[in-house]
Amino acid sequence: MTPVQFLKSLTDGGVEIKDKAAVILGAGGAARAIAVELAMAGAKRISIVNRSRERGEALASLIGNKTPSNAVFTLWHGAYRPPEDTAILVNATPIGLYPNTDQKPDIDYSALQGGMAVCDVIPNHPDTLFLREAKKAGARTFDGLKMLVNQGVLGFSLWTGREPSAKAMEDALKKEFGILSD
Ligand SMILES: NC(=O)c1ccc[n+]([C@@H]2O[C@H](COP(=O)([O-])OP(=O)(O)OC[C@H]3O[C@@H](n4cnc5c(N)ncnc54)[C@H](OP(=O)(O)O)[C@@H]3O)[C@@H](O)[C@H]2O)c1
């Protein structure tokens, strides 16, 4: 993922990032790209929640030292409760990825609220249990399939100098994942 892809889903949806608090579950490659992007867009605090200390602390240090955002690391063990001021919550772990579609990140879902933007990196199946819980709480949700499409659109245009059809790319992925039939 390059910086524009993740934010595009949010900014297309009119989500404000500047001066907002964000929580990212995970500290791998996807989390890193998303954290940097959120920091560059002016998020005031980014909480990195990860089950292994080393990777989580490394990402929090990167954000805290190299960007104007505050970064906080929380070791993830047991149900994590997002702080009350969380505006953006992102699952950047593989939890829920096909075939494990019955799994969801271990968080306290009672903390989710209507004002939150809840995002999942999982492209297959995009309607994850995590996002369904968020919808139940009234949150706005952003799925990993659109994120993947944005990535494909950008890659295609950088490689070819031509603008592809995002809809054609989305339909092709949906067919691949068995969400759309021919
Ligand atoms: N939609 C898109 O465009 C897009 C793009 C890139 C990636 N993705 C998706 O993003 C996901 C993550 O990819 P990645 O490249 O960031 O992987 P990664 O570098 O391997 O990082 C995975 C992260 O998830 C954590 N994690 C894994 N299993 C966990 C579990 N059972 N409980 C708690 N934490 C767990 C890992 O924690 P530890 O550090 O403790 O191991 C690590 O922080 C993948 O599912 C991939 O499909 C989507």
Side-chain angles (χ1 to χ4, degrees):
M1 300 207 317
T2 63
V4 268
Q5 288 129 27
F6 172 70
L7 278 195
K8 185 168 163 45
S9 295
L10 291 181
T11 50
D12 283 355
V15 174
E16 283 283 326
I17 293 157
K18 190 159 172 42
D19 298 327
K20 301 291 184 194
V23 170
I24 301 176
L25 306 171
R32 190 180 165 97
I34 290 166
V36 168
E37 233 185 299
L38 286 168
M40 286 165 65
K44 77 166 176 199
R45 190 187 70 238
I46 301 175
S47 302
I48 307 294
V49 181
N50 202 50
R51 71 178 172 183
S52 75
R53 178 175 292 279
E54 202 183 351
R55 264 218 278 197
E57 281 183 344
L59 181 53
S61 299
L62 173 87
I63 298 301
N65 294 333
K66 305 265 187 199
T67 79
S69 293
N70 287 319
V72 180
F73 166 67
T74 302
L75 191 63
W76 193 0
H77 59 88
Y80 170 78
R81 186 170 175 88
E84 249 176 47
D85 65 348
T86 304
I88 300 159
L89 171 66
V90 185
N91 172 36
T93 74
I95 300 167
L97 183 65
Y98 181 85
N100 302 314
T101 50
D102 58 344
Q103 295 178 7
K104 62 183 180 196
D106 187 11
I107 65 165
D108 181 349
Y109 286 88
S110 72
L112 302 191
Q113 308 160 21
M116 284 182 184
V118 178
C119 320
D120 204 330
V121 294
I122 301 300
N124 184 24
H125 187 288
D127 191 24
T128 57
L129 208 46
F130 178 62
L131 292 186
R132 277 184 270 148
E133 290 286 352
K135 276 178 206 154
K136 265 195 254 168
R140 297 190 60 196
T141 59
F142 298 87
D143 69 50
L145 183 72
K146 293 222 169 43
M147 215 183 286
L148 194 54
V149 169
N150 291 338
Q151 180 176 312
V153 166
L154 184 70
F156 186 93
S157 62
L158 287 174
W159 277 95
T160 65
R162 294 167 56 198
E163 254 339 277
S165 158
K167 168 89 172 65
M169 285 188 157
E170 186 170 337
D171 286 352
L173 276 174
K174 283 182 174 167
K175 278 180 195 159
E176 187 62 30
F177 295 155
I179 300 164
L180 201 66
S181 48
D182 290 314

